[in-house]
Amino acid sequence: MALTKTQVETFHRRGYLVVKDVLSPDRRATVMAEYDGLLDTLCPRWGIPRTGNFFADLRAAHLAGVDWFQPLDISLPGEEITAATPFHAGPAVFDMMTDPALLDVVEGIVGPEITSTPIQHVRIKPPARQLAPGEARAHVGGTAWHQDRGVAHAEADETTMVTVWIAMTDATEENGCLIVQPFDGPQGMLPHCPLRQTAIPDSFLDADRAVALPVKAGDILLLHPMIPHASLDNTTEGFRWSFDLRYQTTGQPTGRAHFPDFIARSADRSKELRDARAWRESWVAARIACAGGPHVPIHRWTSASPNCA
């Protein structure tokens, strides 16, 4: 599913692109089944009886106040990491990240030498009204306005990259779809501040230009690293599920050097990682290294900036 020349031009002009029907129903079903199996292990630890309904059991865990998000996430957190910090790096997720149809789209933006960066997350958003105080973090509640270039280390400021936002379920304005501020000419880096989340101050945004991007399950959104974007709160009674992945041209800095990347596509096939177990082991090794060393902040911004007063 290669991008057309018009699609590529639209992406660079607007800063975003919706691509329909990229992730097949079978691929989504395999990922969902893997996560359902994950709850078979997690729910007994949490004291939550399984009903066989993934979202019902996840809702029960959420309402019970357990830390359900990090064990489901596909990355280590930005906070302090221990040798026991949980994460999920399963084969179905790996197969999704290396799905040929997905990489065909990515190739149209970053070229044929593609690295999967470690800036990746699952986003399973519960109803906003059920969030406990302090729980509205970026990957659970609504996401504050930011640029993806701005939430990586400065070493990657010249890296050719693209964010791929994958809809596992339909994303609507009601359940918390993404919103963007499209490009209006060249877009530079905006200040970010360590607020509830790392966020662009309101004074640098134009609320009247915000565009909501509802998509169907299986669709993807491509985001330029400089486009300001956020997500809405989930005002429904159900969950909204997506993945947030990032790809770049191989050989350039990822902006998270303490976390592992891998080559997803190359003209030299021997360089490609095709072993899901090796991918997981790279994250286990990173967890051990992070737990044994000084904490590495994942963002560059501090409250000392005059824009954060």
Side-chain angles (χ1 to χ4, degrees):
M1 188 181 290
L3 295 179
T4 66
K5 179 181 178 181
T6 298
Q7 285 177 308
V8 174
E9 291 173 348
T10 299
F11 169 79
H12 288 292
R13 184 177 70 256
R14 295 180 180 173
Y16 72 94
L17 183 72
V18 177
V19 188
K20 301 288 188 180
D21 298 321
V22 176
L23 207 66
S24 71
D26 286 347
R27 181 70 76 198
R28 298 198 309 275
T30 301
V31 172
M32 289 177 171
E34 180 170 277
Y35 269 81
D36 191 67
L38 187 58
L39 285 194
D40 285 340
T41 300
L42 294 172
C43 281
R45 298 179 190 171
W46 296 334
I48 306 294
R50 284 238 59 187
T51 68
N53 182 304
F54 176 82
F55 286 117
D57 296 344
L58 192 60
R59 182 188 301 274
H62 177 239
L63 294 178
V66 301
D67 181 12
W68 57 272
F69 172 74
Q70 185 54 47
L72 303 184
D73 198 16
I74 59 175
S75 176
L76 292 168
E79 302 87 44
E80 294 285 345
I81 296 168
T82 73
T85 298
F87 66 92
H88 177 65
V93 172
F94 179 80
D95 289 344
M96 175 188 68
M97 296 170 67
T98 56
D99 185 285
L102 185 64
L103 295 180
D104 285 347
V105 173
V106 170
E107 184 170 334
I109 304 299
V110 307
E113 300 296 319
I114 303 172
T115 285
S116 171
T117 86
I119 305 178
Q120 56 192 35
H121 295 285
V122 67
R123 298 181 186 271
I124 303 181
K125 185 184 291 190
R129 69 174 187 82
Q130 295 179 354
L131 294 176
E135 192 183 8
R137 49 188 165 170
H139 311 307
V140 177
T143 305
W145 285 97
H146 66 282
Q147 295 164 297
D148 282 346
R149 186 83 82 196
V151 293
H153 291 165
E155 66 184 20
D157 278 356
E158 301 302 320
T159 294
T160 300
M161 64 175 63
V162 63
T163 296
V164 179
W165 194 94
I166 302 173
M168 294 293 289
T169 57
D170 291 353
T172 66
E173 292 188 55
E174 292 74 24
N175 71 10
C177 70
L178 288 191
I179 53 176
V180 300
Q181 182 173 292
F183 287 167
D184 184 19
Q187 175 66 67
M189 179 77 78
L190 297 173
H192 290 64
C193 297
L195 306 173
R196 178 172 60 87
Q197 304 163 18
T198 298
I200 300 168
D202 290 344
S203 59
F204 289 87
L205 297 165
D206 183 352
D208 292 337
R209 293 182 53 228
V211 175
L213 299 176
V215 291
K216 295 291 187 180
D219 296 347
I220 67 172
L221 297 174
L222 301 181
L223 299 174
H224 190 283
M226 297 299 278
I227 189 169
H229 62 284
S231 74
L232 300 169
D233 285 335
N234 180 0
T235 61
T236 72
E237 296 302 308
F239 283 80
R240 192 221 72 189
W241 186 354
S242 64
F243 284 93
D244 184 0
L245 309 177
R246 194 174 298 188
Y247 299 88
Q248 66 173 66
T249 302
T250 297
Q252 300 175 348
T254 68
R256 297 269 174 91
H258 59 302
F259 287 167
D261 57 55
F262 69 88
I263 294 177
R265 174 172 286 182
S266 175
D268 181 353
R269 299 300 183 189
S270 68
K271 294 181 179 179
E272 298 176 350
L273 184 65
R274 286 289 174 253
D275 185 345
R277 181 175 297 181
W279 174 59
R280 173 177 172 75
E281 289 174 351
S282 71
W283 278 97
V284 171
R287 180 173 63 182
I288 293 171
C290 290
H295 175 62
V296 180
I298 61 173
H299 299 156
R300 71 181 84 171
W301 309 95
T302 71
S303 57
S305 168
N307 298 302
C308 301

